[in-house]
Protein backbone atom coordinates (compact mmCIF):
# COMPACT_ATOMS: atom_id res chain seq x y z
CA UNK A 1 0.00 0.00 0.00
CA UNK A 2 1.55 3.32 -1.03
CA UNK A 3 1.74 6.34 1.20
CA UNK A 4 -1.72 7.95 1.37
CA UNK A 5 -0.33 11.29 0.18
CA UNK A 6 0.52 9.60 -3.14
CA UNK A 7 -3.13 8.78 -3.78
CA UNK A 8 -3.71 12.41 -4.72
CA UNK A 9 -1.08 12.17 -7.46
CA UNK A 10 -3.39 10.82 -10.14
CA UNK A 11 -4.11 11.50 -13.78
CA UNK A 12 -6.68 10.64 -16.40
CA UNK A 13 -6.18 8.78 -19.65
CA UNK A 14 -7.29 11.23 -22.38
CA UNK A 15 -8.19 8.39 -24.76
CA UNK A 16 -10.55 6.79 -22.23
CA UNK A 17 -12.09 10.16 -21.31
CA UNK A 18 -12.81 10.90 -24.97
CA UNK A 19 -14.18 7.37 -25.42
CA UNK A 20 -16.49 7.94 -22.45
CA UNK A 21 -17.75 11.21 -23.94
CA UNK A 22 -18.35 9.63 -27.36
CA UNK A 23 -20.25 6.74 -25.77
CA UNK A 24 -22.41 9.26 -23.92
CA UNK A 25 -23.17 11.21 -27.09
CA UNK A 26 -23.92 8.30 -29.40
CA UNK A 27 -25.64 6.24 -26.73
CA UNK A 28 -27.91 9.11 -25.73
CA UNK A 29 -28.88 9.62 -29.35
CA UNK A 30 -29.69 5.92 -29.70
CA UNK A 31 -31.66 5.79 -26.46
CA UNK A 32 -33.62 8.98 -27.14
CA UNK A 33 -34.46 7.88 -30.68
CA UNK A 34 -36.89 5.47 -29.00
CA UNK A 35 -39.05 8.37 -27.72
CA UNK A 36 -41.12 8.78 -30.92
CA UNK A 37 -41.94 5.06 -30.81
CA UNK A 38 -43.08 5.38 -27.19
CA UNK A 39 -45.33 8.32 -28.06
CA UNK A 40 -46.76 6.65 -31.18
CA UNK A 41 -47.46 3.31 -29.48
CA UNK A 42 -51.18 2.80 -29.09
CA UNK A 43 -51.27 -0.27 -26.88
CA UNK A 44 -49.99 -0.26 -23.31
CA UNK A 45 -47.93 -3.42 -23.84
CA UNK A 46 -46.25 -1.93 -26.89
CA UNK A 47 -45.49 1.28 -24.99
CA UNK A 48 -44.03 -0.73 -22.10
CA UNK A 49 -41.75 -2.70 -24.43
CA UNK A 50 -40.38 0.49 -26.00
CA UNK A 51 -39.86 2.09 -22.57
CA UNK A 52 -37.94 -1.00 -21.44
CA UNK A 53 -35.84 -1.07 -24.63
CA UNK A 54 -35.04 2.64 -24.29
CA UNK A 55 -34.29 2.28 -20.57
CA UNK A 56 -31.97 -0.65 -21.17
CA UNK A 57 -30.10 1.35 -23.81
CA UNK A 58 -29.99 4.57 -21.79
CA UNK A 59 -29.12 2.91 -18.48
CA UNK A 60 -26.37 0.85 -20.08
CA UNK A 61 -24.90 3.96 -21.69
CA UNK A 62 -24.98 5.91 -18.43
CA UNK A 63 -23.31 3.02 -16.63
CA UNK A 64 -20.70 2.48 -19.37
CA UNK A 65 -19.86 6.18 -19.51
CA UNK A 66 -19.27 6.33 -15.77
CA UNK A 67 -17.39 3.04 -15.61
CA UNK A 68 -15.05 4.00 -18.46
CA UNK A 69 -14.54 7.33 -16.71
CA UNK A 70 -13.54 5.46 -13.56
CA UNK A 71 -11.17 3.25 -15.55
CA UNK A 72 -9.52 6.32 -17.03
CA UNK A 73 -8.27 7.42 -13.60
CA UNK A 74 -4.70 6.27 -13.07
CA UNK A 75 -3.55 6.14 -9.46
CA UNK A 76 -0.35 4.84 -7.86
CA UNK A 77 -2.20 2.00 -6.17
CA UNK A 78 -4.00 -1.14 -7.26
CA UNK A 79 -7.73 -0.77 -7.84
CA UNK A 80 -9.98 -3.81 -8.04
CA UNK A 81 -13.61 -3.97 -9.19
CA UNK A 82 -15.75 -6.87 -7.98
CA UNK A 83 -17.44 -8.15 -11.19
CA UNK A 84 -20.81 -9.05 -9.65
CA UNK A 85 -21.14 -5.78 -7.77
CA UNK A 86 -19.89 -3.82 -10.77
CA UNK A 87 -22.55 -5.28 -13.07
CA UNK A 88 -25.20 -4.94 -10.35
CA UNK A 89 -24.44 -1.22 -10.28
CA UNK A 90 -26.04 -1.05 -13.73
CA UNK A 91 -29.49 -1.78 -12.25
CA UNK A 92 -30.08 1.68 -10.68
CA UNK A 93 -29.08 3.36 -13.96
CA UNK A 94 -31.56 1.24 -15.91
CA UNK A 95 -34.35 1.71 -13.32
CA UNK A 96 -33.89 5.49 -13.27
CA UNK A 97 -34.01 5.44 -17.07
CA UNK A 98 -37.38 3.64 -16.86
CA UNK A 99 -38.64 6.48 -14.69
CA UNK A 100 -37.22 9.12 -17.04
CA UNK A 101 -38.73 7.56 -20.16
CA UNK A 102 -42.08 6.87 -18.54
Amino acid sequence: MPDSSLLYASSYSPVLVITSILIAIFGSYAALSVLPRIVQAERTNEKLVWVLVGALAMGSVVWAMHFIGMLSLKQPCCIYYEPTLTFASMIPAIMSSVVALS
Side-chain angles (χ1 to χ4, degrees):
M1 184 86 168
D3 180 22
S4 63
S5 65
L6 293 176
L7 294 178
Y8 296 108
S10 58
S11 63
Y12 286 92
S13 166
V15 172
L16 287 178
V17 171
I18 291 170
T19 301
S20 177
I21 291 169
L22 291 175
I23 285 175
I25 291 169
F26 292 120
S28 296
Y29 175 76
L32 293 177
S33 67
V34 173
L35 282 177
R37 295 178 189 268
I38 295 171
V39 172
Q40 293 171 356
E42 295 178 6
R43 295 184 315 221
T44 306
N45 290 345
E46 187 180 352
K47 206 176 274 270
L48 179 63
V49 167
W50 283 114
V51 167
L52 293 177
V53 166
L56 182 63
M58 184 183 289
S60 299
V61 165
V62 167
W63 178 84
M65 176 194 67
H66 283 94
F67 189 69
I68 292 171
M70 290 186 328
L71 291 177
S72 72
L73 179 64
K74 303 299 179 198
Q75 291 189 340
C77 64
C78 185
I79 298 174
Y80 174 76
Y81 297 102
E82 161 62 42
T84 305
L85 186 59
T86 301
F87 284 111
S89 69
M90 190 184 301
I91 294 170
I94 293 171
M95 296 309 293
S96 61
S97 296
V98 168
V99 172
L101 291 175
S102 293

